[in-house]
C-alpha cells in the first residue's frame, strides 16, 4: 500500500504537525496521534511494525497502543496463518475502531447537506419537509409503547427525554412555573439543521404529537444556543398534582374578629399566594 501521508519517523514523533481535521496535540498526545494515524493508514498492523515505522521503542509503542485500546479507539485481532512467519504465537494486529477514526474527522455533515440540497433543488422544499418528518417519525416509533404508557404530560416528557438520550441527544427535563422544559444538550444533526431548519420544525411537530399538546421551541443548538429547549405546557391540575396543593386564597375582606391577620393582608394585595418555586421560569 502506498503510504504518502505518513511523515518520517522523527517528524511523526517530535514535529508538532497534526493530521488534517485534528487538533494540534503536544508531547505524549502528539506521539499517540502519530500511532493512531499509522493504524489508520496501514492497519491492521503489528506493534513491532508501528515501532519500526515511527522510530520508537517497543515499550513506548505498546503503551500508546494499550491506551488507544482502553479508550475504545483501537482493537486487536490475531494475524491469519498466511501472515505468520515461523512458529510461535500468532502476532497481534491493531486496527482503529469507528471512535478512533473519528479522531481524523468525517465529512458526513457535508454529504448530508449536499443530499438535502439536491432534494430541495430537484423536488422542492416540501420534499425536504417530508424527509424530515419521516426521519423523526422513525426515531420516535421505537419508543411509542413507553410514551403511551405514561399517564401525564410530565411523565411523557420524561419518557421522551430518555428516548432521545438513547438516540444520542443527551436530553433531560426540568420543571418551570408553567410546565416542563425538554432540553436536548446534544444534537447529532446540528450542522445540517443550521442549513435546513425543517429538521427542527419536524422534531417540534413530532414532540407535540407524542406529548398530546402544543409545544413551543425556545432555543436550538443549530441556531447557536447551548441546548435545544422545548416548552411543554401542563394543565393546572397536572401542575398541582406534581407540586402539591396550592396555598388557599383568602379574601382581603375577611373580618379582623375572625381572622386577626386579615388586616395585615389587606394592606398588601388582598390575597395570599404561594411563592414561585426556586428556579421557576415563566414562559
Amino acid at each position: 500500500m502506498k503510504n504518502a501521508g505518513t511523515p518520517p519517523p522523527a517528524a511523526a514523533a517530535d514535529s508538532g504537525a497534526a493530521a488534517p481535521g485534528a487538533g494540534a496535540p503536544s508531547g505524549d498526545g502528539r506521539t499517540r496521534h502519530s500511532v493512531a494515524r499509522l493504524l489508520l493508514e496501514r492497519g491492521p498492523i503489528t506493534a513491532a511494525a508501528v515501532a519500526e515505522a515511527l522510530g520508537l521503542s517497543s515499550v513506548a509503542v505498546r503503551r500508546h497502543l494499550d491506551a488507544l485500546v482502553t479508550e475504545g479507539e483501537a482493537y486487536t485481532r490475531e494475524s491469519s496463518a498466511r501472515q505468520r512467519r515461523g512458529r510461535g504465537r500468532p502476532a497481534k494486529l491493531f486496527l482503529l475502531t469507528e471512535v478512533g477514526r473519528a479522531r481524523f474527522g468525517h465529512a458526513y455533515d457535508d454529504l448530508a447537506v449536499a443530499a438535502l440540497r439536491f432534494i430541495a433543488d430537484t423536488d422542492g422544499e416540501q420534499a425536504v419537509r417530508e424527509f424530515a418528518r419521516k426521519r423523526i417519525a422513525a426515531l420516535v416509533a421505537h419508543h411509542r409503547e413507553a410514551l403511551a404508557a405514561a399517564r401525564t404530560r410530565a411523565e411523557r416528557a420524561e419518557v421522551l427525554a430518555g428516548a432521545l438520550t438513547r438516540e444520542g441527544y443527551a436530553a433531560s427535563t426540568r420543571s418551570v412555573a408553567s410546565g416542563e422544559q425538554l432540553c436536548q444538550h446534544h444534537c447529532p444533526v446540528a450542522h445540517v439543521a443550521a442549513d435546513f431548519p425543517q429538521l427542527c420544525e419536524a422534531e417540534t411537530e413530532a414532540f407535540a404529537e407524542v406529548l398530546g399538546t402544543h409545544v413551543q421551541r425556545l432555543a436550538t443548538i443549530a441556531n447557536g444556543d447551548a441546548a435545544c429547549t422545548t416548552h411543554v405546557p401542563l394543565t393546572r391540575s397536572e401542575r398541582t398534582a406534581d407540586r402539591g396543593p396550592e396555598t388557599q386564597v383568602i379574601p382581603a375582606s375577611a373580618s379582623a374578629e375572625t381572622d386577626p391577620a386579615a388586616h395585615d393582608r389587606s394592606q398588601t394585595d388582598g390575597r395570599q399566594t404561594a411563592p414561585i418555586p426556586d428556579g421557576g421560569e415563566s414562559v
Side-chain angles (χ1 to χ4, degrees):
M1 178 187 296
K2 186 176 180 181
N3 188 34
T6 304
D14 303 318
S15 73
S26 60
D28 248 18
R30 185 166 62 245
T31 304
R32 189 160 303 161
H33 187 83
S34 297
V35 171
R37 185 177 180 84
L38 201 63
L39 265 59
L40 177 73
E41 296 179 350
R42 296 192 191 179
I45 187 172
T46 64
V50 173
E52 182 180 355
L54 297 181
L56 299 172
S57 70
S58 297
V59 173
V61 166
R62 288 281 181 186
R63 179 167 60 84
H64 289 296
L65 288 171
D66 288 345
L68 289 170
V69 171
T70 299
E71 293 165 8
E73 293 192 41
Y75 68 103
T76 63
R77 75 179 189 203
E78 291 185 353
S79 60
S80 65
R82 250 186 341 181
Q83 294 171 304
R84 296 175 195 168
R85 296 180 180 177
R87 298 181 179 181
R89 296 179 60 184
K92 188 182 291 185
L93 300 173
F94 291 83
L95 305 88
L96 286 184
T97 64
E98 281 303 309
V99 174
R101 290 177 181 274
R103 173 191 283 262
F104 300 94
H106 291 300
Y108 298 155
D109 287 349
D110 293 340
L111 178 63
V113 168
L116 287 176
R117 188 164 290 127
F118 176 80
I119 292 174
D121 292 342
T122 305
D123 299 316
E125 295 295 325
Q126 186 57 37
V128 176
R129 292 191 184 90
E130 187 61 24
F131 167 82
R133 291 190 184 108
K134 286 187 176 180
R135 174 190 167 275
I136 191 64
L139 185 150
V140 171
H142 300 298
H143 309 282
R144 281 194 176 275
E145 188 174 336
L147 287 162
R151 294 170 298 174
T152 66
R153 288 178 191 167
E155 288 181 4
R156 282 197 295 274
E158 188 172 348
V159 171
L160 179 57
L164 289 169
T165 294
R166 288 189 289 277
E167 299 292 343
Y169 287 82
S172 64
T173 60
R174 63 178 179 179
S175 297
V176 295
S178 57
E180 296 288 315
Q181 284 187 355
L182 175 65
C183 301
Q184 296 156 252
H185 305 282
H186 175 65
C187 176
V189 297
H191 292 97
V192 182
D195 285 340
F196 291 94
Q198 295 94 328
L199 294 171
C200 299
E201 293 164 8
E203 269 190 11
T204 306
E205 292 173 6
F207 293 171
E209 191 264 321
V210 298
L211 294 173
T213 184
H214 169 76
V215 300
Q216 182 182 5
R217 184 59 67 93
L218 304 178
T220 64
I221 294 172
N223 198 41
D225 299 301
C228 298
T229 306
T230 305
H231 180 67
V232 183
L234 302 182
T235 63
R236 183 181 181 86
S237 60
E238 284 177 319
R239 293 199 302 271
T240 300
D242 187 47
R243 295 172 187 155
E246 297 183 62
T247 304
Q248 181 183 5
V249 176
I250 304 174
S253 58
S255 167
E257 285 80 8
T258 57
D259 183 1
H263 177 73
D264 292 337
R265 284 194 299 272
S266 67
Q267 301 305 309
T268 56
D269 63 352
R271 59 174 59 202
Q272 182 181 24
T273 57
I276 297 175
D278 290 342
E281 298 178 23
S282 59
V283 177

